[in-house]
Amino acid sequence: MSIAENVKAVKENIAAAALRCGRSPDEIKLVAATKMNDAERVRQAIAAGVDICGENRVQELQEKYAQGTYEGCPLHFIGHLQKNKVKYIVGKVGLIHSVDSVALASEINKRAAALGIVQDILLEVNIGAEPAKSGFAPGELSSAPDMLADFGSIRVLGLMAIPPICEKSEENRVYFRRMKQLFIDIGQKKYDNVFMQLLSMGMSADYEVAVEEGANLVRVGTGIFGARNYALK
Ligand SMILES: *Cc1c(COP(=O)(O)O)cnc(C)c1O
C-alpha cells in the first residue's frame, strides 16, 4: 500500500472509531510520526492529508526543517527531549508533546521568554508506571500544574502518554481510560497556564481504542509509512 492509501485508511479507521462512541471525527487530529522517514516520504503524507507532522529527534527535525519538508503542515515534537536541545525547537514547533519534568518545562519557558513567545506543551504521563519510561507519575501530576503556573511563557494544553507495549490493543484501554480521567481531573482544577484541551495517545497498534477512550491527537508512524528500518541508522 502507498503512503496515500495508508493515510486514507487510517483516517477512515479514526472516523469509524469516533462514530462508534458518538464523537465527531473532526475532533481528532492525525499526527504522522515521521521519524526515520525522509523529506520525500513526509511530503507524500502531507499531500495525503495528515493534519500534523510529529518528529522525535531534534537533529532529524532540523535537517528536514531546513529542506522545507513541513511547509503547509503544522509541526509537533513528540520524542524524548533533552534540556540542552530545547533551544533548537522552541518557536519552531507548534506543540511539544513530551514534557516529562518540571525542569524541562522550566527550560522551555526560559527559551520561549527569550524569544518573546508562548510555547504550547503537553505533559507526558508515565501511565503504565514503567521504570524505563519517562514522564510524570500519575500521582505527581496533581502537584506539577502548581509549579508550572508561574511559567508565563509556556501554556500546558493537555496530556500525552505512551502506554506499555501490548499484544492486543484492548489491553491498553485501561491506561487510556485513566489518562482521560486525569485529563478531566486536572481540567476541573483551573490552574493558571493549564488548559486541558488536547489528549495525545494512541499509536499504530492501538489508536482506535485510544479514540474510543477520548484521544484527540493520535500519533501514527508504522500505519502510515510501513515498518521502520532501524538497520539504516
Ligand atoms: C514512533 C512513535 C510513534 C508512532 O509509533 P508507531 O507504532 O510506528 O505508530 C508515536 N509516538 C511516539 C512518541 C513515537 O516515538
Side-chain angles (χ1 to χ4, degrees):
M1 293 246 285
S2 69
I3 289 172
E5 287 168 320
N6 287 339
V7 168
K8 184 164 177 280
V10 170
K11 290 182 100 169
E12 284 169 3
N13 292 340
I14 290 171
L19 294 173
R20 275 200 294 280
C21 55
R23 301 178 64 195
S24 162
D26 301 338
E27 285 174 33
I28 298 129
K29 301 286 178 236
L30 172 58
V31 182
T34 45
K35 60 175 174 269
M36 301 181 68
N37 284 282
D38 63 16
E40 166 60 25
R41 294 171 61 78
V42 175
R43 290 303 307 170
Q44 284 179 40
I46 294 170
V50 300
D51 297 301
I52 296 155
C53 289
E55 284 290 353
N56 267 76
R57 299 185 181 90
V58 171
Q59 196 188 333
E60 202 179 322
L61 181 151
Q62 287 177 294
E63 285 167 13
K64 284 183 239 177
Y65 194 91
Q67 294 171 290
T69 307
Y70 314 110
E71 267 163 35
C73 187
L75 174 62
H76 291 178
F77 190 80
I78 63 175
H80 182 67
L81 182 58
Q82 290 167 303
K83 272 193 280 176
N84 62 357
K85 301 253 172 84
V86 163
K87 56 179 174 285
Y88 300 118
I89 65 161
V90 167
K92 239 180 215 168
V93 300
L95 184 70
I96 302 172
H97 290 224
S98 41
V99 177
D100 57 7
S101 69
V102 172
L104 179 60
S106 170
E107 183 66 23
I108 295 168
N109 181 63
K110 211 162 71 186
R111 288 286 162 186
L115 293 175
I117 60 162
V118 173
Q119 175 70 61
D120 289 334
I121 67 168
L122 305 180
L123 301 181
E124 181 173 353
V125 184
N126 186 358
I127 194 66
E130 295 171 277
K133 255 184 206 159
S134 43
F136 290 89
E140 277 177 329
L141 264 188
S142 48
S143 56
D146 261 340
M147 292 188 263
L148 303 177
D150 289 338
F151 296 160
S153 299
I154 57 171
R155 195 164 52 171
V156 180
L157 289 189
L159 304 178
M160 178 268 218
I162 308 173
I165 292 175
C166 62
E167 280 188 5
K168 289 179 55 212
S169 58
E170 274 303 318
E171 292 168 25
N172 277 341
R173 187 179 293 278
V174 58
Y175 297 112
F176 294 141
R177 201 164 279 180
R178 272 183 219 158
M179 285 296 297
K180 179 68 193 271
Q181 195 56 52
L182 287 168
F183 181 81
I184 291 170
D185 292 346
I186 295 171
Q188 282 171 346
K189 290 193 182 142
K190 310 236 185 300
Y191 298 98
D192 287 346
N193 297 335
V194 179
F195 309 90
M196 288 291 123
Q197 298 171 354
L198 301 173
L199 187 51
S200 169
M201 57 188 193
M203 317 203 308
S204 295
D206 54 19
Y207 64 90
E208 291 159 279
V209 177
V211 166
E212 288 171 5
E213 296 301 330
N216 53 21
L217 289 171
V218 295
R219 310 175 310 268
V220 178
T222 312
I224 291 174
F225 298 106
R228 290 177 286 276
N229 186 352
Y230 285 97
L232 287 177
K233 281 256 162 167

